[in-house]
Amino acid sequence: MFCTTERPMSPRLWLAVPFLFSAAVFGLMGSAGLITASWTTVPLSPVVSGAGVAVAAAVSGGVRWRRPWHRVWVRFPYLAAVLAGGVVVGAVEIPALVTTVVGLPVLLGLVFQSLVQTDESRPASDCR
C-alpha cells in the first residue's frame, strides 16, 4: 500500500495546463535562440501546442470536475479548440526575447511545483 496524498486538480488550473506547457517550451526555444544567436524570432509551432494539449489530456483524469458531464462535454471540446487555435496561429512569429521573458519563469515555476509536490508525496515514516 502506498501512502500518498491525492489532491485533485481544479478545473481552472487544468484549463491553463496547455498554455503553461507551451509557454515553457517556447521559453526554452527563445533562450536557445538568444544564446546561439541563430534566430531572433520563434514561430508558434502547432507541434508545441499539440504537445500541450496532450499533457492536458493526460492529466485530465485527475481533475475535480464539478459535474459528471463536464468530464466529456467540457474536456474534449476545450482540448479540440486549443489544438485548433494552435494550428491557426502556427505561422505567427514572436521575438525570441519575448518568449524567453515569458517562458522561463513559467518553466521555473513548473519545476518548483514539481519539486514541492514530490516532497509532499513522500511516504511518512509510519507508512509501510
mmCIF file of all heavy atoms in Angstrom, residues 72-99:
data_model
loop_
_atom_site.group_PDB
_atom_site.id
_atom_site.type_symbol
_atom_site.label_atom_id
_atom_site.label_comp_id
_atom_site.label_asym_id
_atom_site.label_seq_id
_atom_site.Cartn_x
_atom_site.Cartn_y
_atom_site.Cartn_z
ATOM 1 N N VAL A 72 -16.840 14.934 -20.086
ATOM 2 C CA VAL A 72 -16.923 14.696 -21.531
ATOM 3 C C VAL A 72 -17.208 15.982 -22.299
ATOM 4 O O VAL A 72 -16.556 16.282 -23.284
ATOM 5 C CB VAL A 72 -18.012 13.644 -21.843
ATOM 6 C CG1 VAL A 72 -18.202 13.488 -23.338
ATOM 7 C CG2 VAL A 72 -17.652 12.319 -21.206
ATOM 8 N N TRP A 73 -18.169 16.754 -21.833
ATOM 9 C CA TRP A 73 -18.662 17.887 -22.612
ATOM 10 C C TRP A 73 -17.861 19.165 -22.423
ATOM 11 O O TRP A 73 -18.097 20.140 -23.123
ATOM 12 C CB TRP A 73 -20.143 18.120 -22.330
ATOM 13 C CG TRP A 73 -20.945 16.962 -22.822
ATOM 14 C CD1 TRP A 73 -21.484 15.978 -22.055
ATOM 15 C CD2 TRP A 73 -21.239 16.638 -24.167
ATOM 16 N NE1 TRP A 73 -22.113 15.055 -22.855
ATOM 17 C CE2 TRP A 73 -21.975 15.438 -24.164
ATOM 18 C CE3 TRP A 73 -20.948 17.223 -25.391
ATOM 19 C CZ2 TRP A 73 -22.432 14.832 -25.317
ATOM 20 C CZ3 TRP A 73 -21.408 16.620 -26.552
ATOM 21 C CH2 TRP A 73 -22.136 15.449 -26.503
ATOM 22 N N VAL A 74 -16.952 19.214 -21.493
ATOM 23 C CA VAL A 74 -16.053 20.357 -21.365
ATOM 24 C C VAL A 74 -14.643 19.954 -21.777
ATOM 25 O O VAL A 74 -13.966 20.678 -22.510
ATOM 26 C CB VAL A 74 -16.053 20.916 -19.918
ATOM 27 C CG1 VAL A 74 -14.967 21.947 -19.730
ATOM 28 C CG2 VAL A 74 -17.408 21.501 -19.580
ATOM 29 N N ARG A 75 -14.217 18.805 -21.330
ATOM 30 C CA ARG A 75 -12.833 18.385 -21.552
ATOM 31 C C ARG A 75 -12.485 18.270 -23.034
ATOM 32 O O ARG A 75 -11.545 18.910 -23.508
ATOM 33 C CB ARG A 75 -12.593 17.049 -20.846
ATOM 34 C CG ARG A 75 -11.200 16.514 -21.041
ATOM 35 C CD ARG A 75 -10.908 15.320 -20.195
ATOM 36 N NE ARG A 75 -11.771 14.196 -20.462
ATOM 37 C CZ ARG A 75 -11.569 12.984 -19.982
ATOM 38 N NH1 ARG A 75 -10.543 12.765 -19.190
ATOM 39 N NH2 ARG A 75 -12.381 12.008 -20.260
ATOM 40 N N PHE A 76 -13.205 17.465 -23.769
ATOM 41 C CA PHE A 76 -12.823 17.205 -25.157
ATOM 42 C C PHE A 76 -13.028 18.391 -26.091
ATOM 43 O O PHE A 76 -12.149 18.690 -26.904
ATOM 44 C CB PHE A 76 -13.527 15.950 -25.671
ATOM 45 C CG PHE A 76 -13.106 14.713 -24.925
ATOM 46 C CD1 PHE A 76 -14.037 13.933 -24.269
ATOM 47 C CD2 PHE A 76 -11.777 14.338 -24.861
ATOM 48 C CE1 PHE A 76 -13.651 12.803 -23.564
ATOM 49 C CE2 PHE A 76 -11.374 13.214 -24.160
ATOM 50 C CZ PHE A 76 -12.321 12.442 -23.515
ATOM 51 N N PRO A 77 -14.149 19.116 -26.011
ATOM 52 C CA PRO A 77 -14.262 20.310 -26.872
ATOM 53 C C PRO A 77 -13.206 21.381 -26.563
ATOM 54 O O PRO A 77 -12.696 22.037 -27.476
ATOM 55 C CB PRO A 77 -15.676 20.838 -26.592
ATOM 56 C CG PRO A 77 -16.420 19.653 -26.115
ATOM 57 C CD PRO A 77 -15.423 18.820 -25.360
ATOM 58 N N TYR A 78 -12.872 21.546 -25.286
ATOM 59 C CA TYR A 78 -11.846 22.528 -24.929
ATOM 60 C C TYR A 78 -10.498 22.135 -25.527
ATOM 61 O O TYR A 78 -9.807 22.972 -26.109
ATOM 62 C CB TYR A 78 -11.735 22.660 -23.411
ATOM 63 C CG TYR A 78 -10.611 23.564 -22.985
ATOM 64 C CD1 TYR A 78 -10.712 24.941 -23.139
ATOM 65 C CD2 TYR A 78 -9.435 23.051 -22.452
ATOM 66 C CE1 TYR A 78 -9.674 25.778 -22.768
ATOM 67 C CE2 TYR A 78 -8.400 23.885 -22.079
ATOM 68 C CZ TYR A 78 -8.525 25.242 -22.243
ATOM 69 O OH TYR A 78 -7.490 26.071 -21.879
ATOM 70 N N LEU A 79 -10.125 20.867 -25.382
ATOM 71 C CA LEU A 79 -8.850 20.417 -25.939
ATOM 72 C C LEU A 79 -8.829 20.549 -27.458
ATOM 73 O O LEU A 79 -7.816 20.945 -28.041
ATOM 74 C CB LEU A 79 -8.574 18.979 -25.509
ATOM 75 C CG LEU A 79 -8.311 18.774 -24.018
ATOM 76 C CD1 LEU A 79 -8.165 17.289 -23.706
ATOM 77 C CD2 LEU A 79 -7.092 19.544 -23.570
ATOM 78 N N ALA A 80 -9.944 20.239 -28.109
ATOM 79 C CA ALA A 80 -10.020 20.384 -29.569
ATOM 80 C C ALA A 80 -9.900 21.850 -29.973
ATOM 81 O O ALA A 80 -9.228 22.177 -30.964
ATOM 82 C CB ALA A 80 -11.323 19.795 -30.087
ATOM 83 N N ALA A 81 -10.522 22.750 -29.214
ATOM 84 C CA ALA A 81 -10.447 24.179 -29.533
ATOM 85 C C ALA A 81 -9.025 24.711 -29.346
ATOM 86 O O ALA A 81 -8.544 25.505 -30.164
ATOM 87 C CB ALA A 81 -11.426 24.960 -28.662
ATOM 88 N N VAL A 82 -8.354 24.282 -28.284
ATOM 89 C CA VAL A 82 -6.971 24.728 -28.060
ATOM 90 C C VAL A 82 -6.062 24.203 -29.169
ATOM 91 O O VAL A 82 -5.203 24.933 -29.679
ATOM 92 C CB VAL A 82 -6.465 24.289 -26.667
ATOM 93 C CG1 VAL A 82 -4.974 24.551 -26.511
ATOM 94 C CG2 VAL A 82 -7.241 25.002 -25.574
ATOM 95 N N LEU A 83 -6.255 22.968 -29.565
ATOM 96 C CA LEU A 83 -5.460 22.397 -30.648
ATOM 97 C C LEU A 83 -5.719 23.135 -31.959
ATOM 98 O O LEU A 83 -4.781 23.469 -32.687
ATOM 99 C CB LEU A 83 -5.759 20.910 -30.805
ATOM 100 C CG LEU A 83 -4.934 20.160 -31.842
ATOM 101 C CD1 LEU A 83 -3.451 20.237 -31.491
ATOM 102 C CD2 LEU A 83 -5.384 18.722 -31.932
ATOM 103 N N ALA A 84 -6.985 23.415 -32.260
ATOM 104 C CA ALA A 84 -7.314 24.167 -33.482
ATOM 105 C C ALA A 84 -6.714 25.568 -33.431
ATOM 106 O O ALA A 84 -6.189 26.059 -34.437
ATOM 107 C CB ALA A 84 -8.828 24.237 -33.657
ATOM 108 N N GLY A 85 -6.765 26.199 -32.279
ATOM 109 C CA GLY A 85 -6.150 27.522 -32.136
ATOM 110 C C GLY A 85 -4.648 27.478 -32.351
ATOM 111 O O GLY A 85 -4.067 28.393 -32.945
ATOM 112 N N GLY A 86 -4.006 26.419 -31.894
ATOM 113 C CA GLY A 86 -2.569 26.258 -32.110
ATOM 114 C C GLY A 86 -2.220 26.085 -33.573
ATOM 115 O O GLY A 86 -1.195 26.581 -34.043
ATOM 116 N N VAL A 87 -3.082 25.408 -34.309
ATOM 117 C CA VAL A 87 -2.852 25.234 -35.746
ATOM 118 C C VAL A 87 -3.060 26.563 -36.469
ATOM 119 O O VAL A 87 -2.310 26.919 -37.371
ATOM 120 C CB VAL A 87 -3.784 24.138 -36.310
ATOM 121 C CG1 VAL A 87 -3.735 24.098 -37.824
ATOM 122 C CG2 VAL A 87 -3.392 22.783 -35.729
ATOM 123 N N VAL A 88 -4.078 27.322 -36.063
ATOM 124 C CA VAL A 88 -4.371 28.597 -36.723
ATOM 125 C C VAL A 88 -3.225 29.597 -36.544
ATOM 126 O O VAL A 88 -2.864 30.300 -37.485
ATOM 127 C CB VAL A 88 -5.703 29.183 -36.198
ATOM 128 C CG1 VAL A 88 -5.888 30.621 -36.624
ATOM 129 C CG2 VAL A 88 -6.865 28.330 -36.654
ATOM 130 N N VAL A 89 -2.662 29.673 -35.348
ATOM 131 C CA VAL A 89 -1.590 30.654 -35.105
ATOM 132 C C VAL A 89 -0.208 30.059 -35.366
ATOM 133 O O VAL A 89 0.800 30.645 -34.969
ATOM 134 C CB VAL A 89 -1.654 31.226 -33.667
ATOM 135 C CG1 VAL A 89 -2.947 31.943 -33.432
ATOM 136 C CG2 VAL A 89 -1.389 30.165 -32.629
ATOM 137 N N GLY A 90 -0.151 28.957 -36.055
ATOM 138 C CA GLY A 90 1.111 28.263 -36.284
ATOM 139 C C GLY A 90 2.142 29.038 -37.065
ATOM 140 O O GLY A 90 3.325 28.768 -36.964
ATOM 141 N N ALA A 91 1.759 30.012 -37.855
ATOM 142 C CA ALA A 91 2.716 30.756 -38.666
ATOM 143 C C ALA A 91 3.156 32.060 -38.012
ATOM 144 O O ALA A 91 4.026 32.742 -38.537
ATOM 145 C CB ALA A 91 2.109 31.051 -40.032
ATOM 146 N N VAL A 92 2.592 32.403 -36.873
ATOM 147 C CA VAL A 92 2.944 33.651 -36.201
ATOM 148 C C VAL A 92 4.326 33.511 -35.575
ATOM 149 O O VAL A 92 4.639 32.499 -34.952
ATOM 150 C CB VAL A 92 1.889 33.992 -35.125
ATOM 151 C CG1 VAL A 92 2.298 35.212 -34.319
ATOM 152 C CG2 VAL A 92 0.529 34.192 -35.757
ATOM 153 N N GLU A 93 5.141 34.547 -35.745
ATOM 154 C CA GLU A 93 6.480 34.532 -35.152
ATOM 155 C C GLU A 93 6.552 35.574 -34.051
ATOM 156 O O GLU A 93 6.100 36.697 -34.212
ATOM 157 C CB GLU A 93 7.534 34.795 -36.222
ATOM 158 C CG GLU A 93 7.553 33.691 -37.262
ATOM 159 C CD GLU A 93 8.906 33.517 -37.906
ATOM 160 O OE1 GLU A 93 9.868 34.168 -37.485
ATOM 161 O OE2 GLU A 93 8.987 32.698 -38.828
ATOM 162 N N ILE A 94 7.115 35.163 -32.920
ATOM 163 C CA ILE A 94 7.247 36.008 -31.739
ATOM 164 C C ILE A 94 8.744 36.274 -31.529
ATOM 165 O O ILE A 94 9.565 35.364 -31.710
ATOM 166 C CB ILE A 94 6.669 35.284 -30.492
ATOM 167 C CG1 ILE A 94 5.238 34.835 -30.731
ATOM 168 C CG2 ILE A 94 6.787 36.133 -29.252
ATOM 169 C CD1 ILE A 94 4.255 35.961 -30.841
ATOM 170 N N PRO A 95 9.123 37.484 -31.130
ATOM 171 C CA PRO A 95 10.546 37.726 -30.849
ATOM 172 C C PRO A 95 11.076 36.776 -29.767
ATOM 173 O O PRO A 95 10.395 36.485 -28.783
ATOM 174 C CB PRO A 95 10.565 39.180 -30.349
ATOM 175 C CG PRO A 95 9.344 39.795 -30.934
ATOM 176 C CD PRO A 95 8.324 38.690 -31.009
ATOM 177 N N ALA A 96 12.275 36.292 -29.971
ATOM 178 C CA ALA A 96 12.868 35.320 -29.045
ATOM 179 C C ALA A 96 13.001 35.884 -27.640
ATOM 180 O O ALA A 96 12.835 35.160 -26.659
ATOM 181 C CB ALA A 96 14.231 34.860 -29.572
ATOM 182 N N LEU A 97 13.267 37.169 -27.528
ATOM 183 C CA LEU A 97 13.393 37.784 -26.212
ATOM 184 C C LEU A 97 12.057 37.728 -25.454
ATOM 185 O O LEU A 97 12.024 37.450 -24.254
ATOM 186 C CB LEU A 97 13.882 39.224 -26.334
ATOM 187 C CG LEU A 97 14.130 39.963 -25.030
ATOM 188 C CD1 LEU A 97 15.201 39.239 -24.215
ATOM 189 C CD2 LEU A 97 14.536 41.388 -25.292
ATOM 190 N N VAL A 98 10.962 37.942 -26.153
ATOM 191 C CA VAL A 98 9.639 37.895 -25.519
ATOM 192 C C VAL A 98 9.330 36.484 -25.041
ATOM 193 O O VAL A 98 8.853 36.288 -23.917
ATOM 194 C CB VAL A 98 8.548 38.401 -26.490
ATOM 195 C CG1 VAL A 98 7.162 38.177 -25.922
ATOM 196 C CG2 VAL A 98 8.771 39.863 -26.817
ATOM 197 N N THR A 99 9.585 35.476 -25.879
ATOM 198 C CA THR A 99 9.307 34.102 -25.455
ATOM 199 C C THR A 99 10.185 33.701 -24.275
ATOM 200 O O THR A 99 9.742 32.972 -23.397
ATOM 201 C CB THR A 99 9.506 33.101 -26.603
ATOM 202 O OG1 THR A 99 10.850 33.167 -27.071
ATOM 203 C CG2 THR A 99 8.543 33.373 -27.743
#
